[in-house]
């Protein structure tokens, strides 16, 4: 076993770390306050190659491994989890979904733009009544021969307004259950597509989360991904990789909150000494660090599984379950160590605590991850 990062991984980590400090940190509090999408920052991340990291260079991607991607998401998330979710969705749900399961024409038309940030992608599975229970799709796509007619509503869609291309999951044949579900690439400019209200959220307030409405949207048949009826498996397979991204995001939020608490404890004094000299604080730091390291091993192992051709359905669920719990617990402790200052926006940790919560919800709640893990354990 080799627990060390390669020279290449260290370089990409340092590049993401520098970028986060120089480009994401300034303005992160204001963007959170105003719910402002980080347009300039996303443009720069596109230029740096952070939006299509794992895509084959022949489509303009970085050709990097999943571990490099997880490291970048982790580093960005230490500073700004709103930016990192945009990176995560674009890379591991949209780019990966099209590259792994789309046809050549779809890759040439869409992937080449998504990798540079010229266009942004969104992944549309959740509905008012189909969040965890993803087979209960109410959005319909009726087969009209050379095209489908799409009708329905999608909820809580990351990059909802900022995206140009949307991977939309819809029911084409109710009788067939999950085998009657398909996935389509839908363009924002198409007639009948409407971006609905923006959500006013607890956390990741810089990312734009919207309801989307599809009213008789005409989708050419060539925009279906894979064979007829592949849509549910497409969503499940793609989400397994997406969960590595969200696990890395959670890991980064935990790491960022821990580092802030550690540094603050070395300068803040009480009872005549820096607070890190009080065992009550030092032991908190020890526990936080320990949990983050444990989460990191699960996150990197899951990325390693994907890079080495192993099944990563279970390991990505394990990584997300653990890392999101750690993000929540560590960020709460980081606020506690900051005391009154922790409750104030300029000290960042209260934002991290708010941002941490979503990592236990999106791309499968913690309870869904337990379903995936337990089914994996009990499979014959
Ligand atoms: N890979 C391939 N196939 C898979 C699969 C996987 N990982 N998981 C399930 N399947 C297949 C099954 O084998 C089965 O196919 P067969 O009948 O041919 O064997 C079919 O899919 C149905 O599977 P299940 O019977 O297990 O389905 P289920 O109804 O019990 O649900 C579930 C399984 C794991 C709970 C699933 O519904 C799920 O993952 N739910 C959570 C959805 C989710 O993560 N939503 C997040 C929204 S996206 C988001 O948040 C993006 C964002 O913007 C940030």
């Amino acid at each position: 076993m080799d627990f060390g990062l390669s020279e290449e991984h260290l370089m990409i980590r340092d590049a993401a770390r520098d970028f986060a400090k120089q480009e994401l940190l300034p303005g992160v509090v204001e963007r959170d306050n105003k719910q402002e999408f980080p347009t300039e920052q996303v443009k720069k991340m596109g230029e740096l190659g952070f939006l299509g990291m794992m895509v084959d260079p022949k489509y303009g991607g970085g050709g990097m491994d999943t571990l490099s991607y997880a490291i970048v998401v982790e580093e960005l998330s230490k500073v700004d989890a709103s930016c990192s979710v945009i990176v995560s969705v674009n890379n591991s749900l949209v780019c990966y979904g099209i590259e792994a399961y789309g046809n050549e024409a779809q890759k040439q038309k869409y992937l080449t733009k998504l990798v540079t940030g010229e266009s942004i992608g969104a992944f549309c599975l959740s509905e008012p009544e189909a969040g965890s229970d993803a087979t209960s799709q109410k959005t319909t796509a009726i087969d009209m021969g050379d095209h489908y007619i799409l009708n329905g509503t999608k909820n809580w869609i990351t990059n909802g307004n900022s995206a140009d291309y949307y991977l939309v999951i819809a029911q084409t044949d109710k009788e067939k259950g999950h085998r009657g579900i398909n996935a389509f690439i839908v363009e924002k400019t198409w007639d009948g597509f409407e971006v609905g209200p923006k959500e006013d959220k607890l956390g990741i307030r810089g990312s734009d989360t919207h309801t989307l409405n599809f009213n008789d949207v005409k989708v050419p048949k060539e925009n279906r991904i894979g064979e007829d009826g592949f849509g549910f498996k497409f969503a499940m397979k793609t989400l397994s990789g997406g969960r590595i991204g969200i696990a890395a995001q959670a890991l980064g939020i935990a790491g960022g909150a821990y580092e802030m608490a550690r540094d603050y404890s070395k300068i803040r004094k009480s009872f005549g000494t820096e607070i890190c000299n009080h065992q009550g604080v030092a032991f908190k730091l020890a526990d936080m660090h320990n949990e983050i390291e444990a989460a990191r091993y699960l996150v990197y192992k899951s990325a390693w599984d994907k890079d080495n051709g192993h099944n990563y359905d279970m390991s990505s669920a394990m990584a997300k379950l653990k890392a999101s719990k750690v993000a929540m617990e560590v960020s709460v402790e980081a606020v506690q160590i900051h005391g009154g200052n922790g409750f104030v926006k300029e000290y960042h940790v209260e934002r991290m605590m708010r941002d941490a919560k979503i990592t236990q919800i999106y791309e499968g709640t913690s309870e869904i991850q337990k379903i995936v893990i337990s089914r994996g354990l009990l499979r014959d």
Side-chain angles (χ1 to χ4, degrees):
M1 292 177 86
D2 183 359
F3 287 102
L5 293 179
S6 67
E7 280 300 314
E8 205 183 342
H9 288 133
L10 290 171
M11 269 172 56
I12 188 88
R13 184 193 68 186
D14 292 346
R17 195 172 280 179
D18 288 349
F19 175 81
K21 282 209 180 102
Q22 284 161 22
E23 304 288 345
L24 302 186
L25 188 57
V28 66
V29 174
E30 288 75 10
R31 288 195 298 277
D32 173 72
N33 274 338
K34 295 181 189 159
Q35 296 212 81
E36 188 179 296
F37 187 81
T39 307
E40 274 308 303
Q41 290 75 7
V42 170
K43 189 166 171 275
K44 286 180 183 161
M45 291 194 291
E47 287 160 6
L48 275 173
F50 288 168
L51 295 177
M53 292 185 65
M54 296 171 286
V55 173
D56 192 320
K58 73 179 178 192
Y59 301 113
M64 289 181 220
D65 60 11
T66 314
L67 182 55
S68 301
Y69 158 68
I71 290 168
V72 166
V73 173
E74 179 185 354
E75 290 301 326
L76 301 178
S77 306
K78 283 182 180 173
V79 177
D80 187 349
S82 293
C83 278
S84 68
V85 72
I86 299 162
V87 171
S88 182
V89 167
N90 203 69
N91 272 280
S92 53
L93 294 182
V94 183
C95 285
Y96 177 80
I98 296 175
E99 187 174 26
Y101 304 110
N103 61 34
E104 191 55 32
Q106 291 166 347
K107 290 177 202 179
Q108 292 295 346
K109 186 169 180 189
Y110 298 110
L111 195 53
T112 50
K113 292 183 185 149
L114 288 161
V115 293
T116 60
E118 180 188 338
S119 303
I120 299 288
F123 186 83
C124 314
L125 174 67
S126 300
E127 298 187 355
E129 291 169 61
S132 292
D133 184 7
T135 54
S136 294
Q137 293 289 310
K138 295 274 189 310
T139 297
T140 55
I142 306 300
D143 191 339
M144 307 297 281
D146 65 342
H147 66 274
Y148 289 89
I149 293 292
L150 190 63
N151 276 291
T153 300
K154 295 288 175 182
N155 278 49
W156 313 293
I157 304 302
T158 304
N159 300 339
N161 190 34
S162 54
D164 305 278
Y165 304 134
Y166 299 78
L167 299 188
V168 181
I169 316 297
Q171 185 71 250
T172 48
D173 187 343
K174 203 170 184 312
E175 299 298 303
K176 292 187 182 162
H178 71 78
R179 291 191 185 86
I181 289 175
N182 275 297
F184 305 94
I185 307 172
V186 174
E187 299 185 20
K188 189 183 197 175
T189 54
W190 287 351
D191 285 347
F193 176 90
E194 180 196 49
V195 177
K198 180 172 173 170
E199 301 293 351
D200 187 2
K201 301 178 302 216
L202 173 74
I204 56 160
R205 289 167 57 82
S207 85
D208 64 325
T209 308
H210 285 259
T211 296
L212 305 177
N213 298 313
F214 302 91
N215 303 309
D216 290 332
V217 178
K218 187 175 171 184
V219 182
K221 210 152 219 179
E222 64 258 27
N223 276 40
R224 190 186 73 206
I225 296 181
E227 293 298 311
D228 186 23
F230 179 63
F232 188 72
K233 291 200 177 173
F234 167 81
M236 291 297 107
K237 284 169 182 278
T238 305
L239 275 167
S240 285
R243 287 167 186 162
I244 301 175
I246 301 304
Q249 182 192 38
L251 178 63
I253 295 170
Y258 160 76
E259 285 170 16
M260 292 231 160
R262 179 199 59 199
D263 295 349
Y264 182 81
S265 76
K266 290 189 201 169
I267 53 167
R268 171 77 179 176
K269 289 187 175 171
S270 74
F271 302 99
T273 185
E274 288 77 15
I275 60 171
C276 61
N277 295 323
H278 300 307
Q279 209 171 56
V281 171
F283 279 14
K284 275 191 198 300
L285 292 172
D287 284 339
M288 291 155 86
H289 177 75
N290 227 18
E291 287 298 298
I292 290 168
E293 279 295 290
R296 184 172 287 116
Y297 292 135
L298 285 176
V299 177
Y300 288 8
K301 163 66 165 51
S302 180
W304 182 88
D305 278 343
K306 182 163 176 276
D307 288 333
N308 286 280
H310 302 300
N311 187 299
Y312 51 95
D313 296 338
M314 237 178 106
S315 65
S316 62
M318 289 163 65
K320 183 177 181 294
L321 178 66
K322 176 70 180 174
S324 60
K325 183 165 185 277
V326 171
M328 204 63 251
E329 290 170 358
V330 165
S331 59
V332 168
E333 287 295 57
V335 171
Q336 191 68 17
I337 289 172
H338 278 75
N341 283 331
F343 214 60
V344 173
K345 293 200 172 199
E346 68 174 285
Y347 284 84
H348 299 282
V349 285
E350 65 81 35
R351 184 186 74 255
M352 292 171 167
M353 183 181 83
R354 288 186 284 107
D355 288 349
K357 186 61 205 167
I358 191 62
T359 66
Q360 294 184 303
I361 297 171
Y362 58 17
E363 299 202 24
T365 62
S366 295
E367 292 73 16
I368 289 294
Q369 308 312 323
K370 289 182 190 179
I371 291 178
V372 174
I373 296 165
S374 58
R375 285 185 183 174
L377 290 175
L378 299 169
R379 200 167 289 137
D380 42 41

